């Protein structure tokens, strides 16, 4: 036998943890991006305060743009949430118009009802807002519980897959 049940259990636990992490970055994307931008700005400020930010020697001109690009790359390598944020951004760029609206409404539901824990609270909120957005004349757009749940789980899974691809690509280089 190639794998035992203990190993499978560990893998399943890791997968659940990754889904929870992906869910967090999907729901808190704007806040996490603000924190990333702030940390990046602080890193840049620290780099300039250390002196020779341009990288030149003596009175020779440096290469400040190149030095800044390298500093940004090094910061991104060290900043743990970077790959998650990048994965979320990439997924958001590939979602259809309806699913992107769904995601925005899901984020809105989380911000407004963060103190409530439970599927029913966000599903009902998203269904109502989705219907309000897509209602045209007498024909209303209805988002079922199953569709909302499937879309949400699908988006989470897509983020996890993109994250792992980015992680594998990072390890190759």
């Amino acid at each position: 036998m190639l794998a035992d049940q203990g190993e499978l259990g560990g893998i399943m636990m890791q997968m659940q943890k990754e889904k929870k992490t992906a869910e967090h970055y999907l729901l808190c994307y704007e806040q996490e991006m603000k924190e990333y931008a702030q940390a990046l700005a602080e890193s840049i400020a620290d780099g300039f305060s250390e002196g020779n930010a341009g990288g030149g020697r003596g009175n020779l001109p440096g290469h400040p743009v190149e030095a800044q690009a390298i500093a940004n790359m090094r910061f991104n390598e060290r900043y743990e949430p970077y790959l998650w944020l990048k994965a979320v951004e990439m997924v958001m760029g590939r979602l259809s118009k309806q699913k992107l609206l769904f995601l925005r409404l899901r984020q809105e539901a989380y911000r407004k009802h963060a103190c409530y824990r439970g599927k029913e609270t966000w599903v009902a909120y998203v269904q109502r807002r989705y219907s309000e957005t897509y209602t045209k004349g007498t024909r209303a757009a209805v988002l079922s519980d199953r569709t909302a749940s499937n879309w949400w789980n699908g988006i989470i899974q897509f983020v996890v897959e993109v994250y792992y691809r980015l992680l594998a690509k990072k390890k190759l280089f």
Side-chain angles (χ1 to χ4, degrees):
M1 188 129 222
L2 297 176
D4 60 38
Q5 291 301 316
E7 187 177 18
L8 178 61
I11 290 171
M12 296 300 288
M13 286 177 52
Q14 183 66 26
M15 288 172 64
Q16 287 293 47
K17 181 181 172 195
E18 298 298 344
K19 286 181 180 180
K20 289 290 183 191
T21 304
E23 183 176 26
H24 166 76
Y25 283 106
L26 278 165
L27 293 174
C28 303
Y29 177 74
E30 291 177 16
Q31 178 63 31
E32 290 288 342
M33 280 301 289
K34 287 177 187 174
E35 290 175 17
Y36 167 75
Q38 182 179 359
L40 181 61
E42 289 172 3
S43 174
I44 291 169
D46 289 345
F48 281 112
S49 67
E50 290 176 0
N52 195 6
R57 290 184 214 128
N59 62 354
L60 298 174
H63 301 281
V65 175
E66 180 182 328
Q68 187 59 51
I70 291 170
N72 288 351
M73 285 175 44
R74 287 187 180 142
F75 174 79
N76 290 339
E77 287 175 1
R78 289 188 318 260
Y79 194 71
E80 189 175 331
Y82 174 75
L83 286 181
W84 281 110
L85 293 171
K86 188 173 181 177
V88 169
E89 192 171 288
M90 291 171 80
V91 167
M92 287 171 58
R94 298 289 302 164
L95 292 177
S96 67
K97 181 180 166 186
Q98 290 84 9
K99 286 188 179 180
L100 191 57
L101 172 65
F102 169 80
L103 177 58
R104 300 264 184 241
L105 294 173
R106 177 68 178 95
Q107 291 168 337
E108 183 180 307
Y110 178 76
R111 284 191 304 271
K112 289 187 176 199
H113 304 289
C115 59
Y116 302 120
R117 298 285 185 214
K119 185 176 108 177
E120 293 77 23
T121 57
W122 73 261
V123 171
Y125 180 85
V126 170
Q127 286 173 325
R128 182 179 58 81
R129 293 281 289 123
Y130 189 88
S131 180
E132 288 171 1
T133 304
Y134 276 111
T135 299
K136 295 181 175 125
T138 58
R139 190 171 182 188
V142 178
L143 188 66
S144 70
D145 290 357
R146 177 178 274 175
T147 301
S149 192
N150 286 343
W151 281 9
W152 182 239
N153 291 328
I155 292 170
I156 289 172
Q157 187 62 39
F158 193 16
V159 169
V160 170
E161 289 172 12
V162 170
Y163 170 77
Y164 275 119
R165 300 283 171 112
L166 290 171
L167 192 60
K169 185 178 175 183
K170 179 181 173 183
K171 289 181 179 179
L172 287 176
F173 295 105

